[in-house]
Amino acid sequence: MMSLEERRAQFTKYKQDVKDRGKPFYPFAMFHDTIMSLVVVSIIIALACVWYFTSGEDPNTCGGKDSCLLGPRYAEPADPGTTNFVPRPDWYFYFLFYLLRIFKWPNSVILGTVGIPTILLIILIMMPFLDLRRERRVLRRPVAVVAAILTVLSMGVLTYKGATAKEALASEVKAAVPQWAQKQGFTNNKEAVAGANAFATSGCTACHTYLGTGGGNLGAPDLSAEGTKGKGVQGLQTYISDPSKFGNNVMPKFASLGDTTLHQIATFLDASKGPK
Ligand code: HEC
C-alpha cells in the first residue's frame, strides 16, 4: 500500500495531466462512440440485406447452401419430436459447455454455474478498490498478467476439450451393443438385443449411463444392472411407457415407441444383471 501523501501527489499530477492534455468526455468521447456504433449497425444491416436478397423464397434456391452468398433463407424445418438430435453450442461457448461436463449433476452444478462465476464477478468488481497502484507497465504487474494468461489458457483448453468431446451419438452407442450383449450374457436373446438397439437409438443415453456409455445427466441412474431390481419385464415396460405414474417427472413418456419396442427395451433391461 502507498502512503496517503503519495496517492494525493499522484492524484494532483493526474488532474494536472488532464488539464494540460485531456479532452472532455462530452462531446469528444460521445461523438467517437456514436460514429463507431453507427458503423457496426450499418455493417449488420448490410449483411442482413445481402443475405435476404441473394437467397430466395424457395428453400431450394441455393441448391443446398453453397451458392447463396450468406446461406439459404430456409433450411430444414425444426422437428421438436426428434430423439437423436445432439444439441451442441456454437464454438465460442464450448468452454462453458465443457465446464458443465466437468461439474456433474447434481452435486457441483450449482457451484459450476452460479458459484464460480459469482465469485469471479465479485473479484472483478472489487478490482479498482484492491489495486490502487497507478503502475500500468505490463512487466510490473505480475499478478494481473499471470491471471490473464491463465484465464486465456484455461478457456483455450476448455474450448479444445469441448470441440473434441464425444457425444452419446446414437450411432456410437449402437456400436457398443454387441459388447453389452457379451458382457451381460444375452447374446442369444434376440428380443433383448433388439431392445438394446432400440435403447441405444431412442435417446435414453442422453440421461442414463449403461456400462460406461452415455450421459449420467439430470440424476438418471445407471441402468447396467437394472434387471437385478426385480421389476420384471412387464413392470419395466409400464415404467418406461409413462414414468410420471411412478413419480418420475424428469424422464419423458416413451409410450409413442409402441408396445413391441417397449417390450424389447424392457426385456433388454431385465436381462441386464450387471457385467459378468
Ligand atoms: C431426460 C432424461 C431421461 C431420459 C431421456 C430417459 N430417462 Fe430414464 N430416468 C430418468 C431419471 C431422472 C430417472 C430416475 C427417476 C427417479 O429416481 O425417480 C430415470 C429412471 C429410469 C428407470 C428406473 C431406474 C431405477 O432403477 O429406478 C428406468 C428403467 C429408465 N429410467 C429407463 C429409461 C429408458 C429405457 C429410456 C429410453 C427409452 C430412458 N429411461 C430415458 C431420466 C431419463
Side-chain angles (χ1 to χ4, degrees), residues 203-204 207-208 218 220-221 223 226 229 231 239 248 251 254 265:
C204 311
C207 297
H208 291 280
L218 303 174
L223 295 176
E226 188 64 17
K229 295 187 181 167
K231 293 183 185 164
Y239 187 97
N248 179 355
M251 177 169 153
F254 283 96
I265 295 180

Side-chain angles (χ1 to χ4, degrees), residues 8-254:
R8 282 216 176 110
Q10 281 188 344
F11 187 69
T12 328
K13 181 169 179 298
Y14 167 72
K15 280 291 175 193
Q16 191 57 45
D17 275 356
V18 170
K19 219 180 201 169
D20 294 345
R21 292 182 277 139
K23 286 181 187 160
F25 180 79
Y26 181 84
F28 291 98
M30 268 182 82
F31 183 65
H32 198 255
D33 284 4
T34 311
I35 296 289
M36 229 17 241
S37 312
L38 273 179
V39 169
V40 171
V41 172
S42 316
I43 290 176
I44 293 173
I45 293 176
L47 285 175
C49 290
V50 170
W51 165 73
Y52 190 81
F53 292 113
T54 55
S55 65
E57 275 295 325
D58 178 5
N60 295 318
T61 330
C62 300
K65 14 173 117 151
D66 298 329
S67 52
C68 289
L69 271 177
L70 294 175
R73 196 169 316 170
Y74 307 105
E76 263 171 59
D79 173 11
T82 178
T83 49
N84 52 20
F85 171 72
V86 184
R88 283 177 74 85
D90 280 319
W91 67 268
Y92 42 83
F93 279 134
Y94 276 158
F95 76 100
L96 270 181
F97 168 68
Y98 201 75
L99 258 191
L100 272 180
R101 294 185 146 222
I102 296 178
F103 294 99
K104 278 279 172 200
W105 185 268
N107 304 328
S108 51
V109 165
I110 300 294
L111 179 73
T113 51
V114 182
I116 293 182
T118 307
I119 293 172
L120 291 180
L121 264 181
I122 291 177
I123 295 182
L124 208 62
I125 290 174
M126 280 169 44
M127 215 53 206
F129 304 99
L130 292 176
D131 185 3
L132 291 169
R133 296 174 312 146
R134 303 205 168 268
E135 185 59 71
R136 286 295 171 266
R137 266 163 291 186
V138 170
L139 285 180
R140 301 258 174 98
R141 310 182 65 209
V143 178
V145 169
V146 169
I149 291 176
L150 283 183
T151 307
V152 172
L153 258 181
S154 52
M155 280 174 77
V157 170
L158 287 172
T159 303
Y160 175 76
K161 297 285 279 181
T164 53
K166 276 219 159 139
E167 291 304 329
L169 275 173
S171 55
E172 283 172 26
V173 180
K174 218 174 161 190
V177 169
Q179 212 185 328
W180 292 352
Q182 202 195 358
K183 279 193 186 155
Q184 301 270 22
F186 60 73
T187 316
N188 295 323
N189 185 343
K190 284 219 171 66
E191 180 93 1
V193 174
N197 282 311
F199 175 84
T201 48
S202 302
C204 311
T205 47
C207 297
H208 291 280
T209 49
Y210 189 91
L211 293 181
T213 308
N217 289 314
L218 303 174
D222 182 80
L223 295 176
S224 316
E226 188 64 17
T228 59
K229 295 187 181 167
K231 293 183 185 164
V233 175
Q234 195 51 50
L236 284 164
Q237 180 170 347
T238 322
Y239 187 97
I240 303 163
S241 165
D242 185 358
S244 67
K245 281 195 197 133
F246 300 84
N248 179 355
N249 295 313
V250 179
M251 177 169 153
K253 291 176 192 162
F254 283 96

